[in-house]
């Protein structure tokens, strides 16, 4: 008999690829996901899974390299954000389609933040695509979404791990996946060979890409004593989410907490999909084993 699960997927940028591995491992161990809540990348992965398109999304993610990720960033000069976000979401729309949240086979709650009214917004119905875009609009980085007299930004600003949205579902377990855990990161062993293969295949693009990428997103090991604009913004946002997540876990203790290290990758390193998916699998396996499941 399958064990029913309410699954909570946190924000965390590219670390959200680990959510894919978590879901795959749960299904492999005979769990059935009957309710989902999520914000930012957690909402994206949760919404795609609820729509039945996770395998297509996974194939798309695994095809990304550094150059392709960079090309998906539609940079623009704006006081509200330096990435428009349309390119990425237009790609997602090709395989998500345009469903309504209430028509999905699995109930999902998507969390965003209304900056005008300074409150949390829950999407339980309406256009899935618009809800995902709103929930993922990182402040000052990705342009916010204007919707029904609201200015909507990343749900992680107010509720990065929305456990409270699934506590009323009568499932066997509430499983929360925290992408912002301050724990040591253990890189999956297979990754080094795979990354070398990718870099050989895409060598012609790498030099151009790296020059532009590290102008905007400095490498951690070269981080200056006085961080640049993006590093300062990213680190501040991460710290805020970490503290909010800790409070949420204290107030709404899940049955199982799956921790993914915040050191596993940077916010926009979506080209590390295979590594992060495997990291999610490993973390879920460890959690199930430690809890006798």
């Amino acid at each position: 008999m399958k064990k029913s699960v309410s699954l909570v997927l946190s924000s965390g940028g590219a670390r959200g690829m680990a959510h894919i591995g978590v879901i795959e491992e749960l299904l492999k161990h005979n769990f059935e996901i009957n309710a989902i809540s999520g914000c930012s990348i957690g909402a994206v992965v949760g919404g795609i899974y609820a729509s039945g398109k996770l395998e297509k999304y996974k194939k798309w993610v695994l095809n990304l390299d550094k150059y392709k990720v960079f090309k998906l960033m539609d940079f623009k000069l704006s006081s509200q954000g330096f990435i428009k976000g349309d390119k990425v979401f237009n790609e997602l729309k090709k395989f998500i389609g345009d469903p309504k949240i209430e028509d999905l086979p699995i109930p999902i709650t998507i969390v965003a933040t209304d900056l005008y009214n300074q409150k949390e917004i829950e999407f339980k119905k309406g256009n899935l695509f618009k809800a995902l875009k709103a929930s993922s609009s990182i402040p000052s980085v990705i342009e916010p979404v204007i919707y029904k007299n609201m200015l909507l930004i990343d749900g992680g600003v107010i509720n990065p791990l929305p456990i409270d949205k699934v506590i009323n579902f009568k499932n066997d377990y509430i499983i929360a996946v925290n992408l912002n855990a301050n724990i040591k990161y253990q890189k999956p062993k297979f990754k080094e060979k795979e990354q070398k293969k990718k870099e050989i295949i895409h060598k012609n693009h790498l030099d151009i890409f790296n020059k532009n990428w590290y102008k905007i997103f400095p490498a951690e090991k070269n981080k200056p004593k006085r961080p640049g604009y993006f590093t300062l913004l990213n680190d501040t946002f991460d710290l805020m989410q970490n503290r909010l997540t800790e409070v949420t876990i204290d107030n709404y203790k899940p049955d199982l907490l799956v921790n993914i290290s915040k050191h596993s990758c940077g916010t926009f390193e979506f080209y590390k999909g295979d590594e992060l998916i495997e990291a999610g699998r490993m973390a879920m396996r460890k959690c199930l084993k430690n809890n006798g499941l």
Side-chain angles (χ1 to χ4, degrees):
M1 184 176 177
K2 289 190 176 182
K3 300 173 281 286
S4 59
V5 170
S6 294
L7 186 61
V8 185
L9 303 176
S10 85
S11 58
R15 295 189 294 278
M17 300 304 94
H19 288 322
I20 299 173
V22 166
I23 291 171
E24 289 182 339
E25 200 64 26
L26 279 174
L27 299 177
K28 181 180 174 181
H29 281 80
N30 207 34
F31 286 86
E32 184 174 31
I33 301 167
N34 290 324
I36 301 171
S37 67
C39 75
S40 198
I41 190 63
V44 171
V45 176
I48 291 172
Y49 174 72
S51 67
K53 302 296 189 338
L54 189 65
E55 190 59 34
K56 287 185 178 180
Y57 178 62
K58 178 184 171 183
K59 287 179 181 177
W60 179 72
V61 165
L62 291 178
N63 192 43
L64 293 175
D65 58 26
K66 289 183 179 181
Y67 183 69
K68 288 178 181 176
V69 171
F70 195 78
K71 284 182 69 178
L72 284 169
M73 294 182 185
D74 39 6
F75 295 103
K76 61 172 293 184
L77 291 174
S78 169
S79 60
Q80 296 183 334
F82 62 82
I83 297 174
K84 193 172 182 182
D86 287 347
K87 279 188 178 180
V88 172
F89 279 93
N90 285 338
E91 285 296 313
L92 296 182
K93 199 169 186 179
K94 289 178 183 177
F95 49 83
I96 296 175
D98 205 22
K100 292 186 181 298
I101 297 170
E102 62 269 30
D103 293 336
L104 299 177
I106 301 172
I108 182 170
T109 302
I110 294 166
V111 176
T113 303
D114 177 8
L115 199 58
Y116 281 159
N117 298 297
Q118 298 186 0
K119 65 179 184 179
E120 178 182 273
I121 299 297
E122 298 178 15
F123 286 95
K124 294 184 178 180
K125 60 182 182 178
N127 184 272
L128 174 65
F129 185 76
K130 187 172 286 291
L132 297 182
K133 193 165 190 278
S135 182
S136 306
S137 297
I138 303 170
S140 298
V141 178
I142 299 175
E143 279 192 326
V145 172
I146 298 173
Y147 178 70
K148 293 185 177 179
N149 298 317
M150 297 182 289
L151 186 68
L152 299 177
I153 60 173
D154 198 304
V157 169
I158 201 165
N159 195 352
L161 188 65
I163 302 172
D164 56 315
K165 308 307 174 191
V166 297
I167 56 176
N168 293 324
F169 286 92
K170 300 190 183 304
N171 289 318
D172 294 329
Y173 299 98
I174 292 178
I175 298 179
V177 186
N178 173 26
L179 300 176
N180 303 300
N182 191 15
I183 58 176
K184 186 178 179 180
Y185 177 55
Q186 293 184 322
K187 183 184 289 190
K189 291 181 180 179
F190 79 95
K191 179 57 192 164
E192 191 173 343
K193 283 185 180 180
E194 293 299 317
Q195 187 62 32
K196 283 181 179 178
K197 284 181 185 177
K198 280 189 176 183
E199 293 192 359
I200 290 170
I201 293 169
H202 302 288
K203 193 175 186 307
N204 292 336
H205 292 139
L206 275 178
D207 289 342
I208 298 171
F209 164 81
N210 285 329
K211 183 179 177 181
N212 290 297
W213 179 274
Y214 292 119
K215 279 182 183 177
I216 301 168
F217 311 118
E220 190 74 18
K221 63 182 179 181
N222 296 322
K223 187 186 288 187
K225 290 182 180 178
R226 297 189 65 179
Y229 168 78
F230 180 78
T231 301
L232 182 62
L233 181 68
N234 189 58
D235 288 355
T236 302
F237 191 53
D238 276 352
L239 179 60
M240 177 195 70
Q241 288 188 109
N242 294 346
R243 293 294 178 262
L244 287 172
T245 297
E246 289 172 3
V247 171
T248 298
I249 292 169
D250 284 342
N251 289 335
Y252 303 98
K253 290 182 171 56
D255 297 297
L256 297 176
L257 177 64
V258 183
N259 282 315
I260 306 295
S261 172
K262 70 176 185 177
H263 307 294
S264 56
C265 75
T267 302
F268 290 101
E269 293 181 322
F270 284 90
Y271 55 86
K272 294 184 176 180
D274 49 358
E275 174 184 334
L276 293 162
I277 291 169
E278 182 61 23
R281 289 194 196 101
M282 289 169 55
M284 189 69 253
R285 281 197 299 268
K286 180 180 178 181
C287 186
L288 291 174
K289 183 179 179 180
N290 289 345
N291 287 274
L293 297 169

